[in-house]
C-alpha cells in the first residue's frame, strides 16, 4: 500500500493528466450503452409536403354561386300583372310582321254571325287554321261551323298578293242547304301585311267573341309561371281566382303571344276561346278550287266562253269544275277524267 502511494507520488504530473483523461473517456463510452456492432440508425421518412396544386386548392376561396337573372317581363306587363294590353298587342304584331306564322283557333258559344238577341243565337263550334307566308304573300284560312243538327258550314279563303278567293260550303249559317259557290275579292294599293297582320285579332272574332276577349283582358291578372322553351322565356298570366273569367295567356319575353285560352260568360251564355300562334317558315299550298273561283268571277263579270284546260293549274282543279259544272272541253276522251295532261 505504501509502495503504491509512493509510486503515485513519484509519477510525473503530465502522466497523471493523460491517465485521467483516458479514464473519463472510458466512463462516457460505457454510459452511452452502444457499440459499433449494436448501434442501428433508423432512417425516418420525411414528412409529406403538400403539392403546389393541393396547396393552391386549399388556400383558394370557394366561388360564390352565380345567381339566375330574373327574366324581364314582356312589354305591357310586369312581374305581377298585365298593365297595358295595347302595348302588349303592339309588340305581338311587331313579331308577326317579321315571321311566317300558323294560327289555330277554336270557338264555342253563341253564333255571333246571326243578328238578334244572344238568347236566340245558335250555339256553334268553330275551328280552323290561318297560315301565312310573307315571302310569297300567300295566306289560307280554313273555317268550320258545326251546327246542332251535325251539319257543317265550310268557308275557305285563299289570299295571294292583293286577291282573295273564297269557297263557301253547302250549308248556310242557319242550317239551310245551298250550292257550293266561289267568289273573288280584289283591293288596290293595299299591302299584304296591312291586310293580314293587322286583321289577325279580328279574324273570326265578331260580336260575342270580341266581347269575350274584351272581358278577359279587362280582368285582374297575376303571373303564375315563368319557363324557358328553346332559348325563349315565356310568362304565364291568369285571371285572379275570384274572377268569373278563367284561362291564361302565355307571352314570350318580346311580347309574342303564344297562347290565349279563356272561358267567360257573355249575356248569360258561356263562351270558350282558344288560340295558339306558331312562328316559322311554312308553305301555303295552292288550293285546287282557286281556279273555280277565277272561272266563277269571269262568269259574273260578263266574260263568255266555256272553260278549257288552260283555265286550270292542276288536274284536280279541272276535275272539280268538271264534276260540278259538266265543263265542256275538259274531258275530250270521255273517260271521266278532265284535263289529264295537267299535273
Amino acid at each position: 500500500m505504501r509502495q503504491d502511494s509512493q509510486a503515485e507520488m513519484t509519477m510525473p504530473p503530465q502522466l497523471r493528466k493523460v491517465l485521467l483523461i483516458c479514464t473519463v473517456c472510458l466512463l462516457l463510452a460505457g454510459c452511452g450503452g452502444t457499440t459499433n456492432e449494436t448501434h442501428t440508425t433508423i432512417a425516418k421518412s420525411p414528412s409529406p409536403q403538400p403539392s403546389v396544386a393541393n396547396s393552391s386548392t386549399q388556400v383558394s376561396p370557394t366561388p360564390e354561386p352565380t345567381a339566375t337573372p330574373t327574366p324581364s317581363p314582356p312589354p305591357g306587363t310586369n312581374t305581377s300583372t298585365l298593365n297595358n294590353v295595347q302595348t302588349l298587342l303592339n309588340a305581338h304584331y311587331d313579331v308577326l310582321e317579321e315571321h311566317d306564322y300558323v294560327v289555330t283557333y277554336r270557338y264555342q258559344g253563341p253564333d255571333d254571325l246571326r243578328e238578334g238577341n244572344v238568347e236566340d243565337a245558335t250555339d256553334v263550334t268553330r275551328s280552323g287554321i290561318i297560315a301565312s307566308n310573307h315571302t310569297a304573300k300567300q295566306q289560307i284560312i280554313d273555317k268550320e261551323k258545326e251546327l246542332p243538327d251535325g251539319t257543317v258550314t265550310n268557308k275557305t279563303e285563299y289570299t295571294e298578293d292583293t286577291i282573295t278567293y273564297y269557297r263557301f260550303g253547302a250549308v248556310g249559317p242557319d242550317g239551310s242547304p245551298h250550292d257550293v259557290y266561289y267568289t273573288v275579292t280584289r283591293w288596290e294599293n293595299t299591302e299584304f301585311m296591312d291586310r293580314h297582320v293587322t286583321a289577325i285579332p279580328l279574324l273570326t272574332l265578331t260580336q260575342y267573341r270580341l266581347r269575350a276577349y274584351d272581358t278577359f283582358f279587362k280582368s285582374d291578372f297575376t303571373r303564375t309561371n315563368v319557363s324557358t322553351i328553346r332559348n325563349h322565356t315565356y310568362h304565364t298570366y291568369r285571371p285572379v281566382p275570384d274572377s268569373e273569367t278563367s284561362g291564361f295567356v302565355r307571352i314570350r319575353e318580346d311580347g309574342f303571344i303564344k297562347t290565349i285560352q279563356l272561358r267567360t260568360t257573355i249575356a248569360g251564355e258561356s263562351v270558350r276561346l282558344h288560340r295558339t300562334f306558331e312562328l316559322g317558315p311554312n308553305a301555303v299550298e295552292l288550293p285546287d278550287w282557286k281556279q273555280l273561283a277565277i272561272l266563277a268571277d269571269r262568269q259574273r263579270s260578263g266574260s263568255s266562253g266555256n272553260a278549257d284546260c288552260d283555265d286550270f293549274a292542276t288536274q284536280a282543279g279541272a276535275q272539280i269544275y268538271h264534276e260540278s259544272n259538266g265543263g265542256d272541253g275538259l274531258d275530250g276522251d270521255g273517260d271521266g277524267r278532265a284535263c289529264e295532261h295537267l299535273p
Side-chain angles (χ1 to χ4, degrees):
M1 176 72 70
R2 185 172 295 180
Q3 292 179 353
D4 294 340
S5 299
Q6 291 178 354
E8 291 177 359
M9 292 178 64
T10 60
M11 184 178 295
Q14 293 82 359
L15 181 60
R16 287 201 302 269
K17 185 176 181 179
V18 170
L19 291 174
L20 179 62
I21 293 173
C22 290
T23 301
V24 172
C25 290
L26 289 172
L27 290 173
L28 290 175
C31 292
T34 61
T35 66
N36 289 338
E37 295 177 357
T38 61
H39 180 72
T40 303
T41 301
I42 300 176
K44 294 182 179 180
S45 300
S47 300
Q49 299 296 321
S51 65
V52 175
N54 289 338
S55 177
S56 62
T57 302
Q58 292 174 356
V59 299
S60 299
T62 303
E64 293 293 331
T66 304
T68 302
T70 302
S72 300
T77 74
N78 55 38
T79 56
S80 300
T81 187
L82 308 184
N83 57 9
N84 191 320
V85 175
Q86 190 57 56
T87 299
L88 172 62
L89 293 178
N90 290 341
H92 175 68
Y93 303 153
D94 289 342
V95 175
L96 289 184
E97 288 180 355
E98 300 298 328
H99 295 82
D100 296 340
Y101 54 83
V102 177
V103 187
T104 58
Y105 62 87
R106 184 175 179 85
Y107 166 80
Q108 293 175 281
D111 179 6
D112 55 4
L113 298 181
R114 174 180 285 197
E115 297 180 358
N117 298 325
V118 64
E119 294 82 4
D120 300 328
T122 303
D123 285 338
V124 297
T125 297
R126 296 183 186 275
S127 61
I129 298 175
I130 305 169
S132 181
N133 185 298
H134 292 186
T135 303
K137 293 187 177 181
Q138 294 177 331
Q139 180 158 324
I140 193 164
I141 307 169
D142 293 321
K143 293 188 288 188
E144 230 178 47
K145 175 182 176 182
E146 183 179 327
L147 300 173
D149 60 359
T151 57
V152 175
T153 294
N154 294 317
K155 183 178 76 170
T156 305
E157 303 176 15
Y158 173 75
T159 297
E160 187 173 3
D161 202 4
T162 60
I163 302 177
T164 297
Y165 308 88
Y166 296 91
R167 178 190 184 278
F168 293 89
V171 179
D174 59 354
S176 59
H178 61 75
D179 294 334
V180 177
Y181 67 96
Y182 307 87
T183 187
V184 176
T185 299
R186 296 176 177 85
W187 61 92
E188 300 296 334
N189 301 320
T190 302
E191 293 294 331
F192 178 84
M193 299 295 294
D194 292 340
R195 165 71 178 180
H196 293 290
V197 173
T198 59
I200 282 296
L202 300 180
L203 289 171
T204 72
L205 296 179
T206 56
Q207 199 171 352
Y208 301 120
R209 277 171 281 181
L210 285 175
R211 290 171 62 183
Y213 270 102
D214 186 58
T215 301
F216 177 72
F217 280 113
K218 284 183 178 179
S219 303
D220 294 326
F221 284 84
T222 181
R223 191 175 71 174
T224 59
N225 185 47
V226 179
S227 59
T228 300
I229 304 174
R230 291 194 293 271
N231 299 323
H232 281 291
T233 302
Y234 289 86
H235 303 245
T236 301
Y237 293 82
R238 294 179 180 273
V240 294
D242 59 351
S243 172
E244 67 174 4
T245 299
S246 62
F248 67 91
V249 54
R250 183 170 292 120
I251 312 166
R252 206 166 70 177
E253 74 273 0
D254 55 0
F256 170 65
I257 300 175
K258 173 70 172 178
T259 307
I260 301 175
Q261 180 173 303
L262 67 92
R263 180 176 181 176
T264 190
T265 301
I266 302 296
E269 296 289 333
S270 176
V271 174
R272 296 185 181 185
L273 284 167
H274 181 88
R275 177 166 288 205
T276 299
F277 292 83
E278 296 286 350
L279 298 181
N282 57 280
V284 178
E285 296 181 359
L286 181 71
D288 294 332
W289 51 262
K290 175 187 172 183
Q291 296 297 329
L292 302 180
I294 294 174
L295 292 173
D297 183 61
R298 289 177 180 174
Q299 294 173 356
R300 281 189 295 270
S301 62
S303 60
S304 58
N306 295 325
D308 56 43
C309 292
D310 292 337
D311 292 322
F312 300 91
T314 64
Q315 189 277 329
Q319 189 69 29
I320 293 174
Y321 180 83
H322 176 71
E323 294 177 359
S324 301
N325 302 278
D328 295 333
L330 301 185
D331 181 17
D333 56 9
D335 63 353
R337 286 182 54 81
C339 305
E340 296 177 88
H341 64 283
L342 292 178

